Amino acid sequence: MEYTKEYTVKDEHIDVQQIMDGLYYPFYMEYCRHDYIREVLGFDFEDQAKKGVHMVLSGYKIQFLRSLKKGDQFKVTCTLYKDPAGQPKIYFKQSIILNGKVMTKAVFTGTCVPATGGRPYLPAEMIEKTVDAPVLEGADL
């Protein structure tokens, strides 16, 4: 299932070239991804942290294809994928889209870790919610 949110480029995110600074693209993707995780997966970061569960990123790959400009209204998508080897990882394929064109695309890798330290894992309730997710193909990593 592809999840989508809409945003507008903030003036303070524009650099001297009059385009959005590359640092902000992952932030907009994070806003969308966190809403997806909370609304669709039912994982509330604050509640889970109080229970000793931290969801963290273990990596990401991003490609910048086109630049956003001041005031652009754009969409951010988020789609969940499972790990091909069954590891305790989930992947979020995301795109920033303006007027039907992909501006930026990325894959973010996430997992959970105990707040006290320890090995990565996915809580049982998250595994249940991801059982029908497609498997991420190796070329997408």
Side-chain angles (χ1 to χ4, degrees), residues 29 63-67 77 94-106:
M29 290 176 164
Q63 291 179 292
F64 299 97
L65 306 171
R66 298 172 182 86
S67 298
T77 65
Q94 294 191 256
S95 295
I96 292 178
I97 301 169
L98 175 68
N99 299 325
K101 292 189 179 195
V102 175
M103 308 300 279
T104 305
K105 59 184 181 175

Side-chain angles (χ1 to χ4, degrees), residues 30 33-34 55-60 92 108-111:
E30 178 182 59
R33 189 173 60 255
H34 280 203
M55 181 180 273
V56 297
L57 286 179
S58 59
Y60 69 92
F92 302 93
F108 291 83
T109 306
T111 191

Side-chain angles (χ1 to χ4, degrees), residues 105-135:
K105 59 184 181 175
V107 176
F108 291 83
T109 306
T111 191
C112 292
V113 293
T116 56
R119 301 191 58 80
Y121 73 102
L122 293 178
E125 57 273 9
M126 187 171 294
I127 291 171
E128 290 172 19
K129 299 251 176 138
T130 61
V131 72
D132 293 328
V135 173

Side-chain angles (χ1 to χ4, degrees), residues 10-28:
K10 295 180 179 180
D11 292 355
E12 60 267 24
H13 296 167
I14 299 301
D15 66 16
V16 297
Q17 300 173 96
Q18 300 305 303
I19 58 176
M20 189 164 81
D21 189 299
L23 146 74
Y24 293 104
Y25 293 77
F27 281 109
Y28 285 104

Side-chain angles (χ1 to χ4, degrees), residues 30 33-38 42-51 53-57 92 111:
E30 178 182 59
R33 189 173 60 255
H34 280 203
D35 285 347
Y36 174 86
I37 290 167
R38 186 180 60 257
F43 185 97
D44 183 282
F45 286 91
E46 189 174 344
D47 290 345
Q48 293 296 324
K50 289 176 184 172
K51 294 176 185 175
V53 179
H54 291 176
M55 181 180 273
V56 297
L57 286 179
F92 302 93
T111 191

Side-chain angles (χ1 to χ4, degrees), residues 60-61 82-84 89 91 107 109 136-141:
Y60 69 92
K61 177 182 172 184
K82 293 188 286 195
D83 185 74
K89 299 177 186 179
Y91 301 92
V107 176
T109 306
L136 188 68
E137 298 300 324
D140 292 329
L141 294 176

